[in-house]
PDB file of all heavy atoms in Angstrom:
ATOM      1  N   LEU W 947     -44.177   6.018 -23.861  1.00  0.00           N
ATOM      2  CA  LEU W 947     -44.546   5.901 -22.447  1.00  0.00           C
ATOM      3  C   LEU W 947     -45.172   4.555 -22.133  1.00  0.00           C
ATOM      4  O   LEU W 947     -45.066   4.055 -21.009  1.00  0.00           O
ATOM      5  CB  LEU W 947     -45.487   7.044 -22.060  1.00  0.00           C
ATOM      6  CG  LEU W 947     -44.886   8.451 -22.138  1.00  0.00           C
ATOM      7  CD1 LEU W 947     -45.914   9.506 -21.762  1.00  0.00           C
ATOM      8  CD2 LEU W 947     -43.655   8.562 -21.249  1.00  0.00           C
ATOM      9  N   LEU W 948     -45.839   3.958 -23.117  1.00  0.00           N
ATOM     10  CA  LEU W 948     -46.401   2.627 -22.900  1.00  0.00           C
ATOM     11  C   LEU W 948     -45.299   1.619 -22.591  1.00  0.00           C
ATOM     12  O   LEU W 948     -45.516   0.659 -21.854  1.00  0.00           O
ATOM     13  CB  LEU W 948     -47.179   2.187 -24.141  1.00  0.00           C
ATOM     14  CG  LEU W 948     -47.703   0.744 -24.131  1.00  0.00           C
ATOM     15  CD1 LEU W 948     -48.636   0.508 -22.952  1.00  0.00           C
ATOM     16  CD2 LEU W 948     -48.394   0.420 -25.446  1.00  0.00           C
ATOM     17  N   GLN W 949     -44.111   1.834 -23.115  1.00  0.00           N
ATOM     18  CA  GLN W 949     -43.007   0.895 -22.899  1.00  0.00           C
ATOM     19  C   GLN W 949     -42.611   0.793 -21.431  1.00  0.00           C
ATOM     20  O   GLN W 949     -42.046  -0.228 -21.011  1.00  0.00           O
ATOM     21  CB  GLN W 949     -41.797   1.311 -23.735  1.00  0.00           C
ATOM     22  CG  GLN W 949     -42.015   1.217 -25.231  1.00  0.00           C
ATOM     23  CD  GLN W 949     -40.779   1.634 -26.018  1.00  0.00           C
ATOM     24  OE1 GLN W 949     -39.713   1.881 -25.468  1.00  0.00           O
ATOM     25  NE2 GLN W 949     -40.927   1.709 -27.324  1.00  0.00           N
ATOM     26  N   ILE W 950     -42.875   1.826 -20.642  1.00  0.00           N
ATOM     27  CA  ILE W 950     -42.577   1.742 -19.204  1.00  0.00           C
ATOM     28  C   ILE W 950     -43.850   1.527 -18.382  1.00  0.00           C
ATOM     29  O   ILE W 950     -43.822   1.597 -17.159  1.00  0.00           O
ATOM     30  CB  ILE W 950     -41.820   2.992 -18.710  1.00  0.00           C
ATOM     31  CG1 ILE W 950     -42.599   4.278 -18.986  1.00  0.00           C
ATOM     32  CG2 ILE W 950     -40.444   3.050 -19.325  1.00  0.00           C
ATOM     33  CD1 ILE W 950     -41.923   5.517 -18.403  1.00  0.00           C
ATOM     34  N   GLY W 951     -44.980   1.277 -19.087  1.00  0.00           N
ATOM     35  CA  GLY W 951     -46.202   0.866 -18.393  1.00  0.00           C
ATOM     36  C   GLY W 951     -47.315   1.881 -18.313  1.00  0.00           C
ATOM     37  O   GLY W 951     -48.402   1.554 -17.837  1.00  0.00           O
ATOM     38  N   LEU W 952     -47.101   3.136 -18.738  1.00  0.00           N
ATOM     39  CA  LEU W 952     -48.130   4.163 -18.562  1.00  0.00           C
ATOM     40  C   LEU W 952     -49.382   3.812 -19.350  1.00  0.00           C
ATOM     41  O   LEU W 952     -49.336   3.616 -20.563  1.00  0.00           O
ATOM     42  CB  LEU W 952     -47.600   5.523 -19.000  1.00  0.00           C
ATOM     43  CG  LEU W 952     -48.550   6.702 -18.758  1.00  0.00           C
ATOM     44  CD1 LEU W 952     -48.912   6.812 -17.271  1.00  0.00           C
ATOM     45  CD2 LEU W 952     -47.924   8.009 -19.235  1.00  0.00           C
ATOM     46  N   ALA W 953     -50.513   3.716 -18.624  1.00  0.00           N
ATOM     47  CA  ALA W 953     -51.825   3.406 -19.213  1.00  0.00           C
ATOM     48  C   ALA W 953     -51.840   2.030 -19.870  1.00  0.00           C
ATOM     49  O   ALA W 953     -52.606   1.801 -20.809  1.00  0.00           O
ATOM     50  CB  ALA W 953     -52.238   4.486 -20.205  1.00  0.00           C
ATOM     51  N   ALA W 954     -51.044   1.115 -19.366  1.00  0.00           N
ATOM     52  CA  ALA W 954     -50.971  -0.223 -19.965  1.00  0.00           C
ATOM     53  C   ALA W 954     -52.299  -0.961 -19.871  1.00  0.00           C
ATOM     54  O   ALA W 954     -52.609  -1.799 -20.720  1.00  0.00           O
ATOM     55  CB  ALA W 954     -49.870  -1.040 -19.285  1.00  0.00           C
ATOM     56  N   ASP W 955     -53.108  -0.650 -18.849  1.00  0.00           N
ATOM     57  CA  ASP W 955     -54.376  -1.363 -18.694  1.00  0.00           C
ATOM     58  C   ASP W 955     -55.313  -1.117 -19.877  1.00  0.00           C
ATOM     59  O   ASP W 955     -56.108  -1.987 -20.254  1.00  0.00           O
ATOM     60  CB  ASP W 955     -55.061  -0.998 -17.380  1.00  0.00           C
ATOM     61  CG  ASP W 955     -55.249   0.495 -17.182  1.00  0.00           C
ATOM     62  OD1 ASP W 955     -54.809   1.294 -18.042  1.00  0.00           O
ATOM     63  OD2 ASP W 955     -55.835   0.888 -16.156  1.00  0.00           O
ATOM     64  N   VAL W 956     -55.236   0.065 -20.486  1.00  0.00           N
ATOM     65  CA  VAL W 956     -56.065   0.349 -21.655  1.00  0.00           C
ATOM     66  C   VAL W 956     -55.645  -0.532 -22.822  1.00  0.00           C
ATOM     67  O   VAL W 956     -56.470  -1.154 -23.492  1.00  0.00           O
ATOM     68  CB  VAL W 956     -55.971   1.839 -22.046  1.00  0.00           C
ATOM     69  CG1 VAL W 956     -56.666   2.089 -23.382  1.00  0.00           C
ATOM     70  CG2 VAL W 956     -56.596   2.712 -20.966  1.00  0.00           C
ATOM     71  N   TYR W 957     -54.349  -0.594 -23.069  1.00  0.00           N
ATOM     72  CA  TYR W 957     -53.836  -1.360 -24.205  1.00  0.00           C
ATOM     73  C   TYR W 957     -54.002  -2.864 -23.998  1.00  0.00           C
ATOM     74  O   TYR W 957     -54.045  -3.621 -24.967  1.00  0.00           O
ATOM     75  CB  TYR W 957     -52.368  -1.016 -24.438  1.00  0.00           C
ATOM     76  CG  TYR W 957     -52.154   0.401 -24.888  1.00  0.00           C
ATOM     77  CD1 TYR W 957     -51.924   1.416 -23.958  1.00  0.00           C
ATOM     78  CD2 TYR W 957     -52.201   0.743 -26.236  1.00  0.00           C
ATOM     79  CE1 TYR W 957     -51.732   2.737 -24.354  1.00  0.00           C
ATOM     80  CE2 TYR W 957     -52.012   2.052 -26.652  1.00  0.00           C
ATOM     81  CZ  TYR W 957     -51.773   3.047 -25.704  1.00  0.00           C
ATOM     82  OH  TYR W 957     -51.603   4.351 -26.107  1.00  0.00           O
ATOM     83  N   MET W 958     -54.090  -3.293 -22.741  1.00  0.00           N
ATOM     84  CA  MET W 958     -54.272  -4.716 -22.452  1.00  0.00           C
ATOM     85  C   MET W 958     -55.740  -5.117 -22.433  1.00  0.00           C
ATOM     86  O   MET W 958     -56.071  -6.266 -22.142  1.00  0.00           O
ATOM     87  CB  MET W 958     -53.609  -5.059 -21.115  1.00  0.00           C
ATOM     88  CG  MET W 958     -52.103  -4.872 -21.121  1.00  0.00           C
ATOM     89  SD  MET W 958     -51.323  -5.143 -19.497  1.00  0.00           S
ATOM     90  CE  MET W 958     -51.485  -6.918 -19.337  1.00  0.00           C
ATOM     91  N   GLY W 959     -56.630  -4.164 -22.702  1.00  0.00           N
ATOM     92  CA  GLY W 959     -58.055  -4.475 -22.799  1.00  0.00           C
ATOM     93  C   GLY W 959     -58.801  -4.526 -21.486  1.00  0.00           C
ATOM     94  O   GLY W 959     -59.973  -4.901 -21.447  1.00  0.00           O
ATOM     95  N   GLN W 960     -58.146  -4.140 -20.377  1.00  0.00           N
ATOM     96  CA  GLN W 960     -58.819  -4.230 -19.077  1.00  0.00           C
ATOM     97  C   GLN W 960     -59.958  -3.222 -18.949  1.00  0.00           C
ATOM     98  O   GLN W 960     -60.887  -3.431 -18.170  1.00  0.00           O
ATOM     99  CB  GLN W 960     -57.796  -4.019 -17.950  1.00  0.00           C
ATOM    100  CG  GLN W 960     -56.810  -5.168 -17.820  1.00  0.00           C
ATOM    101  CD  GLN W 960     -55.740  -4.909 -16.781  1.00  0.00           C
ATOM    102  OE1 GLN W 960     -54.786  -4.177 -17.033  1.00  0.00           O
ATOM    103  NE2 GLN W 960     -55.883  -5.513 -15.606  1.00  0.00           N
ATOM    104  N   PHE W 961     -59.893  -2.144 -19.721  1.00  0.00           N
ATOM    105  CA  PHE W 961     -60.955  -1.142 -19.655  1.00  0.00           C
ATOM    106  C   PHE W 961     -62.251  -1.637 -20.270  1.00  0.00           C
ATOM    107  O   PHE W 961     -63.291  -0.998 -20.135  1.00  0.00           O
ATOM    108  CB  PHE W 961     -60.494   0.160 -20.317  1.00  0.00           C
ATOM    109  CG  PHE W 961     -60.103   1.219 -19.337  1.00  0.00           C
ATOM    110  CD1 PHE W 961     -59.094   0.987 -18.423  1.00  0.00           C
ATOM    111  CD2 PHE W 961     -60.747   2.437 -19.296  1.00  0.00           C
ATOM    112  CE1 PHE W 961     -58.733   1.950 -17.501  1.00  0.00           C
ATOM    113  CE2 PHE W 961     -60.398   3.410 -18.376  1.00  0.00           C
ATOM    114  CZ  PHE W 961     -59.391   3.164 -17.480  1.00  0.00           C
ATOM    115  N   ASP W 962     -62.210  -2.768 -20.955  1.00  0.00           N
ATOM    116  CA  ASP W 962     -63.434  -3.358 -21.489  1.00  0.00           C
ATOM    117  C   ASP W 962     -64.261  -4.005 -20.383  1.00  0.00           C
ATOM    118  O   ASP W 962     -65.436  -4.317 -20.588  1.00  0.00           O
ATOM    119  CB  ASP W 962     -63.089  -4.409 -22.557  1.00  0.00           C
ATOM    120  CG  ASP W 962     -62.392  -3.797 -23.757  1.00  0.00           C
ATOM    121  OD1 ASP W 962     -62.590  -2.592 -23.996  1.00  0.00           O
ATOM    122  OD2 ASP W 962     -61.650  -4.517 -24.446  1.00  0.00           O
ATOM    123  N   ASP W 963     -63.655  -4.204 -19.232  1.00  0.00           N
ATOM    124  CA  ASP W 963     -64.319  -4.821 -18.080  1.00  0.00           C
ATOM    125  C   ASP W 963     -64.906  -3.717 -17.197  1.00  0.00           C
ATOM    126  O   ASP W 963     -64.165  -2.909 -16.634  1.00  0.00           O
ATOM    127  CB  ASP W 963     -63.300  -5.650 -17.301  1.00  0.00           C
ATOM    128  CG  ASP W 963     -63.917  -6.417 -16.134  1.00  0.00           C
ATOM    129  OD1 ASP W 963     -65.067  -6.108 -15.758  1.00  0.00           O
ATOM    130  OD2 ASP W 963     -63.246  -7.309 -15.592  1.00  0.00           O
ATOM    131  N   SER W 964     -66.218  -3.675 -17.073  1.00  0.00           N
ATOM    132  CA  SER W 964     -66.880  -2.614 -16.303  1.00  0.00           C
ATOM    133  C   SER W 964     -66.462  -2.657 -14.831  1.00  0.00           C
ATOM    134  O   SER W 964     -66.342  -1.605 -14.191  1.00  0.00           O
ATOM    135  CB  SER W 964     -68.402  -2.740 -16.416  1.00  0.00           C
ATOM    136  OG  SER W 964     -68.844  -4.002 -15.940  1.00  0.00           O
ATOM    137  N   LYS W 965     -66.229  -3.845 -14.287  1.00  0.00           N
ATOM    138  CA  LYS W 965     -65.810  -3.954 -12.890  1.00  0.00           C
ATOM    139  C   LYS W 965     -64.445  -3.319 -12.700  1.00  0.00           C
ATOM    140  O   LYS W 965     -64.203  -2.626 -11.704  1.00  0.00           O
ATOM    141  CB  LYS W 965     -65.774  -5.418 -12.459  1.00  0.00           C
ATOM    142  CG  LYS W 965     -65.394  -5.601 -10.993  1.00  0.00           C
ATOM    143  CD  LYS W 965     -65.410  -7.069 -10.579  1.00  0.00           C
ATOM    144  CE  LYS W 965     -65.027  -7.224  -9.122  1.00  0.00           C
ATOM    145  NZ  LYS W 965     -65.013  -8.661  -8.700  1.00  0.00           N
ATOM    146  N   TYR W 966     -63.543  -3.525 -13.670  1.00  0.00           N
ATOM    147  CA  TYR W 966     -62.209  -2.928 -13.568  1.00  0.00           C
ATOM    148  C   TYR W 966     -62.303  -1.402 -13.624  1.00  0.00           C
ATOM    149  O   TYR W 966     -61.613  -0.701 -12.887  1.00  0.00           O
ATOM    150  CB  TYR W 966     -61.310  -3.432 -14.697  1.00  0.00           C
ATOM    151  CG  TYR W 966     -59.918  -2.845 -14.663  1.00  0.00           C
ATOM    152  CD1 TYR W 966     -58.926  -3.405 -13.861  1.00  0.00           C
ATOM    153  CD2 TYR W 966     -59.600  -1.696 -15.397  1.00  0.00           C
ATOM    154  CE1 TYR W 966     -57.657  -2.854 -13.796  1.00  0.00           C
ATOM    155  CE2 TYR W 966     -58.333  -1.141 -15.343  1.00  0.00           C
ATOM    156  CZ  TYR W 966     -57.367  -1.717 -14.542  1.00  0.00           C
ATOM    157  OH  TYR W 966     -56.116  -1.166 -14.482  1.00  0.00           O
ATOM    158  N   ARG W 967     -63.161  -0.888 -14.482  1.00  0.00           N
ATOM    159  CA  ARG W 967     -63.326   0.565 -14.572  1.00  0.00           C
ATOM    160  C   ARG W 967     -63.838   1.126 -13.249  1.00  0.00           C
ATOM    161  O   ARG W 967     -63.402   2.194 -12.803  1.00  0.00           O
ATOM    162  CB  ARG W 967     -64.284   0.920 -15.708  1.00  0.00           C
ATOM    163  CG  ARG W 967     -63.709   0.696 -17.095  1.00  0.00           C
ATOM    164  CD  ARG W 967     -64.713   1.123 -18.163  1.00  0.00           C
ATOM    165  NE  ARG W 967     -64.973   2.555 -18.082  1.00  0.00           N
ATOM    166  CZ  ARG W 967     -64.300   3.469 -18.771  1.00  0.00           C
ATOM    167  NH1 ARG W 967     -63.330   3.111 -19.583  1.00  0.00           N
ATOM    168  NH2 ARG W 967     -64.600   4.752 -18.650  1.00  0.00           N
ATOM    169  N   GLU W 968     -64.764   0.414 -12.612  1.00  0.00           N
ATOM    170  CA  GLU W 968     -65.285   0.859 -11.314  1.00  0.00           C
ATOM    171  C   GLU W 968     -64.174   0.876 -10.266  1.00  0.00           C
ATOM    172  O   GLU W 968     -64.100   1.791  -9.442  1.00  0.00           O
ATOM    173  CB  GLU W 968     -66.429  -0.055 -10.870  1.00  0.00           C
ATOM    174  CG  GLU W 968     -67.691   0.083 -11.721  1.00  0.00           C
ATOM    175  CD  GLU W 968     -68.747  -0.944 -11.347  1.00  0.00           C
ATOM    176  OE1 GLU W 968     -68.478  -1.763 -10.444  1.00  0.00           O
ATOM    177  OE2 GLU W 968     -69.823  -0.934 -11.966  1.00  0.00           O
ATOM    178  N   GLU W 969     -63.324  -0.138 -10.287  1.00  0.00           N
ATOM    179  CA  GLU W 969     -62.205  -0.175  -9.345  1.00  0.00           C
ATOM    180  C   GLU W 969     -61.260   1.000  -9.583  1.00  0.00           C
ATOM    181  O   GLU W 969     -60.748   1.605  -8.629  1.00  0.00           O
ATOM    182  CB  GLU W 969     -61.450  -1.492  -9.496  1.00  0.00           C
ATOM    183  CG  GLU W 969     -62.222  -2.722  -9.018  1.00  0.00           C
ATOM    184  CD  GLU W 969     -61.473  -4.009  -9.300  1.00  0.00           C
ATOM    185  OE1 GLU W 969     -60.431  -3.941  -9.992  1.00  0.00           O
ATOM    186  OE2 GLU W 969     -61.924  -5.079  -8.850  1.00  0.00           O
ATOM    187  N   SER W 970     -61.027   1.322 -10.849  1.00  0.00           N
ATOM    188  CA  SER W 970     -60.140   2.440 -11.181  1.00  0.00           C
ATOM    189  C   SER W 970     -60.752   3.769 -10.743  1.00  0.00           C
ATOM    190  O   SER W 970     -60.045   4.664 -10.266  1.00  0.00           O
ATOM    191  CB  SER W 970     -59.851   2.456 -12.688  1.00  0.00           C
ATOM    192  OG  SER W 970     -59.107   1.320 -13.069  1.00  0.00           O
ATOM    193  N   GLU W 971     -62.069   3.910 -10.909  1.00  0.00           N
ATOM    194  CA  GLU W 971     -62.739   5.131 -10.460  1.00  0.00           C
ATOM    195  C   GLU W 971     -62.600   5.293  -8.949  1.00  0.00           C
ATOM    196  O   GLU W 971     -62.330   6.393  -8.452  1.00  0.00           O
ATOM    197  CB  GLU W 971     -64.216   5.081 -10.860  1.00  0.00           C
ATOM    198  CG  GLU W 971     -64.457   5.224 -12.365  1.00  0.00           C
ATOM    199  CD  GLU W 971     -65.894   4.960 -12.756  1.00  0.00           C
ATOM    200  OE1 GLU W 971     -66.699   4.585 -11.851  1.00  0.00           O
ATOM    201  OE2 GLU W 971     -66.226   5.110 -13.944  1.00  0.00           O
ATOM    202  N   ALA W 972     -62.772   4.186  -8.205  1.00  0.00           N
ATOM    203  CA  ALA W 972     -62.628   4.236  -6.745  1.00  0.00           C
ATOM    204  C   ALA W 972     -61.188   4.550  -6.349  1.00  0.00           C
ATOM    205  O   ALA W 972     -60.936   5.301  -5.401  1.00  0.00           O
ATOM    206  CB  ALA W 972     -63.074   2.902  -6.137  1.00  0.00           C
ATOM    207  N   PHE W 973     -60.225   3.983  -7.090  1.00  0.00           N
ATOM    208  CA  PHE W 973     -58.810   4.212  -6.796  1.00  0.00           C
ATOM    209  C   PHE W 973     -58.460   5.688  -6.927  1.00  0.00           C
ATOM    210  O   PHE W 973     -57.842   6.279  -6.032  1.00  0.00           O
ATOM    211  CB  PHE W 973     -57.953   3.383  -7.751  1.00  0.00           C
ATOM    212  CG  PHE W 973     -56.482   3.673  -7.652  1.00  0.00           C
ATOM    213  CD1 PHE W 973     -55.701   3.060  -6.693  1.00  0.00           C
ATOM    214  CD2 PHE W 973     -55.875   4.560  -8.524  1.00  0.00           C
ATOM    215  CE1 PHE W 973     -54.339   3.327  -6.597  1.00  0.00           C
ATOM    216  CE2 PHE W 973     -54.518   4.835  -8.443  1.00  0.00           C
ATOM    217  CZ  PHE W 973     -53.752   4.212  -7.479  1.00  0.00           C
ATOM    218  N   TYR W 974     -58.872   6.319  -8.019  1.00  0.00           N
ATOM    219  CA  TYR W 974     -58.511   7.719  -8.236  1.00  0.00           C
ATOM    220  C   TYR W 974     -59.331   8.667  -7.363  1.00  0.00           C
ATOM    221  O   TYR W 974     -58.857   9.755  -7.023  1.00  0.00           O
ATOM    222  CB  TYR W 974     -58.638   8.076  -9.716  1.00  0.00           C
ATOM    223  CG  TYR W 974     -57.412   7.653 -10.487  1.00  0.00           C
ATOM    224  CD1 TYR W 974     -57.385   6.448 -11.185  1.00  0.00           C
ATOM    225  CD2 TYR W 974     -56.259   8.407 -10.472  1.00  0.00           C
ATOM    226  CE1 TYR W 974     -56.245   6.032 -11.862  1.00  0.00           C
ATOM    227  CE2 TYR W 974     -55.114   8.008 -11.142  1.00  0.00           C
ATOM    228  CZ  TYR W 974     -55.115   6.823 -11.830  1.00  0.00           C
ATOM    229  OH  TYR W 974     -53.978   6.415 -12.490  1.00  0.00           O
ATOM    230  N   ALA W 975     -60.542   8.253  -6.985  1.00  0.00           N
ATOM    231  CA  ALA W 975     -61.312   9.064  -6.036  1.00  0.00           C
ATOM    232  C   ALA W 975     -60.616   9.087  -4.686  1.00  0.00           C
ATOM    233  O   ALA W 975     -60.500  10.134  -4.033  1.00  0.00           O
ATOM    234  CB  ALA W 975     -62.729   8.513  -5.900  1.00  0.00           C
ATOM    235  N   ALA W 976     -60.116   7.927  -4.261  1.00  0.00           N
ATOM    236  CA  ALA W 976     -59.396   7.852  -2.988  1.00  0.00           C
ATOM    237  C   ALA W 976     -58.064   8.599  -3.077  1.00  0.00           C
ATOM    238  O   ALA W 976     -57.643   9.266  -2.133  1.00  0.00           O
ATOM    239  CB  ALA W 976     -59.151   6.393  -2.616  1.00  0.00           C
ATOM    240  N   LYS W 977     -57.423   8.498  -4.229  1.00  0.00           N
ATOM    241  CA  LYS W 977     -56.116   9.133  -4.405  1.00  0.00           C
ATOM    242  C   LYS W 977     -56.200  10.650  -4.294  1.00  0.00           C
ATOM    243  O   LYS W 977     -55.246  11.310  -3.873  1.00  0.00           O
ATOM    244  CB  LYS W 977     -55.555   8.745  -5.774  1.00  0.00           C
ATOM    245  CG  LYS W 977     -54.133   9.179  -6.018  1.00  0.00           C
ATOM    246  CD  LYS W 977     -53.646   8.661  -7.366  1.00  0.00           C
ATOM    247  CE  LYS W 977     -52.227   9.134  -7.643  1.00  0.00           C
ATOM    248  NZ  LYS W 977     -51.741   8.651  -8.951  1.00  0.00           N
ATOM    249  N   SER W 978     -57.350  11.218  -4.664  1.00  0.00           N
ATOM    250  CA  SER W 978     -57.520  12.674  -4.607  1.00  0.00           C
ATOM    251  C   SER W 978     -57.941  13.165  -3.221  1.00  0.00           C
ATOM    252  O   SER W 978     -58.038  14.370  -2.983  1.00  0.00           O
ATOM    253  CB  SER W 978     -58.566  13.120  -5.636  1.00  0.00           C
ATOM    254  OG  SER W 978     -59.840  12.558  -5.346  1.00  0.00           O
ATOM    255  N   ASN W 979     -58.179  12.227  -2.289  1.00  0.00           N
ATOM    256  CA  ASN W 979     -58.588  12.577  -0.927  1.00  0.00           C
ATOM    257  C   ASN W 979     -57.375  13.124  -0.157  1.00  0.00           C
ATOM    258  O   ASN W 979     -56.352  12.453  -0.054  1.00  0.00           O
ATOM    259  CB  ASN W 979     -59.134  11.333  -0.229  1.00  0.00           C
ATOM    260  CG  ASN W 979     -59.716  11.638   1.132  1.00  0.00           C
ATOM    261  OD1 ASN W 979     -59.380  12.644   1.760  1.00  0.00           O
ATOM    262  ND2 ASN W 979     -60.585  10.768   1.603  1.00  0.00           N
ATOM    263  N   PRO W 980     -57.458  14.345   0.395  1.00  0.00           N
ATOM    264  CA  PRO W 980     -56.319  14.914   1.137  1.00  0.00           C
ATOM    265  C   PRO W 980     -55.840  14.032   2.289  1.00  0.00           C
ATOM    266  O   PRO W 980     -54.650  14.012   2.603  1.00  0.00           O
ATOM    267  CB  PRO W 980     -56.865  16.254   1.652  1.00  0.00           C
ATOM    268  CG  PRO W 980     -57.982  16.591   0.728  1.00  0.00           C
ATOM    269  CD  PRO W 980     -58.591  15.279   0.332  1.00  0.00           C
ATOM    270  N   ASP W 981     -56.760  13.296   2.906  1.00  0.00           N
ATOM    271  CA  ASP W 981     -56.399  12.440   4.027  1.00  0.00           C
ATOM    272  C   ASP W 981     -55.602  11.216   3.602  1.00  0.00           C
ATOM    273  O   ASP W 981     -55.087  10.477   4.452  1.00  0.00           O
ATOM    274  CB  ASP W 981     -57.653  11.981   4.773  1.00  0.00           C
ATOM    275  CG  ASP W 981     -58.348  13.120   5.503  1.00  0.00           C
ATOM    276  OD1 ASP W 981     -57.661  14.112   5.808  1.00  0.00           O
ATOM    277  OD2 ASP W 981     -59.560  13.025   5.749  1.00  0.00           O
ATOM    278  N   LEU W 982     -55.517  10.976   2.282  1.00  0.00           N
ATOM    279  CA  LEU W 982     -54.813   9.803   1.789  1.00  0.00           C
ATOM    280  C   LEU W 982     -53.541  10.169   1.033  1.00  0.00           C
ATOM    281  O   LEU W 982     -52.934   9.314   0.396  1.00  0.00           O
ATOM    282  CB  LEU W 982     -55.738   8.977   0.887  1.00  0.00           C
ATOM    283  CG  LEU W 982     -57.004   8.443   1.568  1.00  0.00           C
ATOM    284  CD1 LEU W 982     -57.857   7.669   0.583  1.00  0.00           C
ATOM    285  CD2 LEU W 982     -56.659   7.571   2.772  1.00  0.00           C
TER     286      LEU W 982
END
């Protein structure tokens, strides 16, 4: 699945960046909003 990009940010080391993790948390919080 990584070959088509699934969870590629983890393997690319982006999760080591706390700011990136915060952005991802905000993204998935918004994604779960029924209005969105």
